[in-house]
Amino acid sequence: LQTLDGKGPYGVALRAKKKNIPVIGLAGKTSAMMKTELDRYFDILLPVNQPDQDLKTSMLNTAQNLRHTAIQVGKMISKDSFRF
């Protein structure tokens, strides 16, 4: 749970929540425990890396995985039926 130790995304989410702004978080990976702790700050928390990839492969593919996840987030937001 490094995010709650003062990393940038936590600071952004904390400020956004104080202003009632929805927050989507992207993480290298997520877990049920992690999600429970972060639900107070992020409305949606999505993993960037594939769950079956080892760390080395994930790091080599970070740019591609992040781009793919960002495109999915954009599609999700652009749909009229999507609401936080």
Side-chain angles (χ1 to χ4, degrees), residues 48-59 61-62 65:
V48 172
N49 297 314
Q50 303 300 317
D52 57 340
Q53 283 184 345
D54 60 83
L55 180 60
K56 183 178 179 181
T57 303
S58 292
M59 291 185 76
N61 295 320
T62 296
N65 292 342

Side-chain angles (χ1 to χ4, degrees), residues 68-82:
H68 173 75
T69 304
I71 289 168
Q72 297 306 311
V73 169
K75 288 179 180 179
M76 182 175 58
I77 290 172
S78 69
K79 293 184 179 183
D80 290 335
S81 61
F82 180 78

Side-chain angles (χ1 to χ4, degrees), residues 20-64:
N20 205 27
I21 299 171
V23 181
I24 297 174
L26 303 180
K29 64 179 182 176
T30 61
S31 68
M33 182 180 137
M34 180 182 187
K35 185 164 173 16
T36 301
E37 292 292 320
L38 296 175
D39 273 348
R40 293 181 293 173
Y41 308 101
F42 299 93
D43 295 282
I44 298 171
L45 185 61
L46 300 170
V48 172
N49 297 314
Q50 303 300 317
D52 57 340
Q53 283 184 345
D54 60 83
L55 180 60
K56 183 178 179 181
T57 303
S58 292
M59 291 185 76
L60 289 172
N61 295 320
T62 296
Q64 178 183 349

